[in-house]
Amino acid sequence: MHTKPVSRRLTGIDAARGVALFGMMSTHVVPLYVPGTVEATWTALLFAGRASALFAVVAGIGLALLTGGRAPHRGLTLSADRRGIAVRALIIAGIGLLLGALETNIAIILFHYGVLFLVALPFTGLRARALATWAAGWLLLSPIAAYLLRPVVSASVYPPALGGNPVFEHFLVPQVLAADIFLTGYYPVLQWLSLILVGLLIGRLDLGRLGIQLALIGGGVVAAVGAKLISAQLLGAGGGLAALLQTPDGSQYPLEAMLDVGLAGIDQSGSWWWLAVSAPHAGTTPDLVHVAGCAAAVVGLCLLLTRRFPLALVPLSAPGAMTLTLYSLHVCVMSWTDQLEPLPDPLLLLWVQIVIAIAVGVLFQRIHSRGPLELLTSGASGAARQGVLERQR
């Protein structure tokens, strides 16, 4: 009686993860601005900020499923789960450090991903109601904490950010590494933990129920649209944008155009109005609520579409089941193609990678195998988990 709902649920989650993978690949390959202008491309408007956030939310769902799903494990079983997750996190972070040594313009997420897994461990034993409280609080308060802490860190840590992807050598400057990972970098763990908590909350729901799937879609759309509307009202009629244009960085950059693409490189200090923007990767409450809502809606839609037809989204779910391998391969390919002269056509390069990722995912699905990096992480994680249980026995 319970086998089919679980299968459908996992297929939908894999499909959502596939959407995140292809969305992130798009932002890495296709320019975010129309060449020669400050106009956002379709890639930026669709995926900038949303794809990586979906990746994080689905990661939180995965943590919930690993620790019991609707009813979180307790006692020794939860301790074993946490040990397995910690090992998984360390391996993923290690892969991220290796990829960070490549010559690439991609802001690689894997090291931050691993750190987020470790930071989320205390929350893995919570039920849905407690997770809802924590998620709401973190969405509201972490951007304020970040706004207050960034000037302090910038004044006491030099440089305050790495200026690139984390690599093993950065452990020689732990204060700079910690500042970048938790506060000043591209994926600040302080705010991004909100997305993991939202994912944990979603993973504690009965995802096989039609009502839950529809609620994820409806609630996600309302949250996403509402966050954008509130941000637009604050920046427009509220006078926020006019105030930001008077700040040092706001007056030097095409701020209105960047609100559609991202505020990377802009010092978001000197005005509390920065907390009202909803630009991709702004790390503000409107931004986090918007991307979390988008992620919830995508997850709900994927679950709904695979409810009766588990194989309906195979082009997404097959590669989505091995994103660690395919994401790492994508970073390696981009590191190589970025050195070519002339550079390949971005759309052609994107579609070639998408088609290959689908083919590889379907192949591994047909032979009933996981990707090599997935086998590594799941094998090590399972061994660590089993070790805890065996020692207790």
Side-chain angles (χ1 to χ4, degrees):
M1 292 290 291
H2 298 288
T3 302
K4 289 185 178 181
V6 171
S7 174
R8 282 197 297 267
R9 179 184 68 190
L10 292 177
T11 301
I13 298 302
D14 282 340
R17 196 181 290 112
V19 173
L21 172 66
F22 292 151
M24 293 178 74
M25 288 170 60
S26 299
T27 62
H28 298 159
V29 180
V30 180
L32 299 181
Y33 289 101
V34 176
T37 74
V38 291
E39 181 183 348
T41 62
W42 63 267
T43 299
L45 295 175
L46 281 177
F47 297 120
R50 299 181 183 93
S52 52
L54 175 58
F55 205 47
V57 169
V58 175
I61 296 174
L63 291 180
L65 298 178
L66 286 171
T67 53
R70 294 176 60 193
H73 292 154
R74 291 285 183 264
L76 179 63
T77 303
L78 180 59
S79 297
D81 293 340
R82 286 172 169 166
R83 178 69 63 87
I85 291 170
V87 169
R88 183 187 298 265
L90 293 175
I91 294 174
I92 292 173
I95 295 171
L97 292 172
L98 291 173
L99 292 175
L102 298 175
E103 290 288 336
T104 178
N105 294 322
I106 296 173
I108 298 170
I109 197 174
L110 294 183
F111 185 79
H112 306 76
Y113 202 61
V115 174
L116 282 167
F117 273 35
L118 295 175
V119 174
L121 286 177
F123 301 95
T124 52
L126 299 181
R127 293 183 176 274
R129 183 170 297 180
L131 283 168
T133 301
W134 275 103
W138 219 278
L139 285 166
L140 291 171
L141 298 179
S142 64
I144 299 174
Y147 179 82
L148 295 173
L149 288 173
R150 276 195 299 264
V152 177
V153 170
S154 297
S156 57
V157 177
Y158 184 81
L162 297 176
N165 289 311
V167 294
F168 287 102
E169 288 81 359
H170 287 138
F171 284 96
L172 299 176
V173 284
Q175 70 281 7
V176 178
L177 178 63
D180 185 281
I181 297 303
F182 285 92
L183 203 60
T184 60
Y186 200 68
Y187 307 107
V189 168
L190 176 60
Q191 294 107 299
W192 276 60
L193 181 59
S194 306
L195 303 176
I196 297 291
L197 293 175
V198 170
L200 275 167
L201 170 60
I202 293 173
R204 290 284 181 247
L205 305 176
D206 185 359
L207 297 178
R209 287 181 54 193
L210 176 62
I212 295 295
Q213 296 165 5
L214 295 175
L216 286 174
I217 297 172
V221 170
V222 168
V225 174
K228 282 291 185 182
L229 291 177
I230 291 174
S231 175
Q233 183 69 17
L234 291 172
L235 295 179
L241 182 58
L244 294 178
L245 290 173
Q246 302 304 313
T247 62
D249 276 28
S251 62
Q252 296 179 24
Y253 292 89
L255 188 58
E256 293 183 70
M258 296 180 72
L259 291 176
D260 290 328
V261 179
L263 300 179
I266 290 187
D267 179 19
Q268 298 177 54
S269 62
S271 173
W272 285 94
W273 282 110
W274 286 114
L275 293 175
V277 305
S278 60
H281 294 288
T284 61
T285 296
D287 170 41
L288 294 172
V289 172
H290 173 75
V291 296
C294 290
V298 170
V299 169
L301 182 61
C302 289
L303 291 168
L304 182 64
L305 292 175
T306 56
R307 180 178 179 83
R308 289 181 58 85
F309 307 101
L311 301 181
L313 298 181
V314 165
L316 294 173
S317 61
M322 51 183 298
T323 50
L324 181 58
T325 295
L326 293 175
Y327 177 87
S328 301
L329 181 61
H330 162 70
V331 172
C332 293
V333 169
M334 292 305 298
S335 176
W336 170 64
T337 57
D338 284 344
Q339 312 305 316
L340 297 178
E341 289 291 346
L343 293 174
D345 177 76
L347 282 178
L348 176 61
L349 180 60
L350 173 62
W351 281 108
V352 167
Q353 291 190 67
I354 288 176
V355 170
I356 291 176
I358 294 173
V360 171
V362 171
L363 173 62
F364 274 80
Q365 184 184 75
R366 290 293 179 89
I367 63 176
H368 304 289
S369 179
R370 308 186 69 183
L373 295 183
E374 283 74 19
L375 286 174
L376 171 64
T377 54
S378 63
S381 173
R385 184 181 186 280
Q386 192 62 29
V388 173
L389 298 175
E390 290 295 336
R391 282 197 297 274
Q392 180 64 22
R393 294 194 188 101

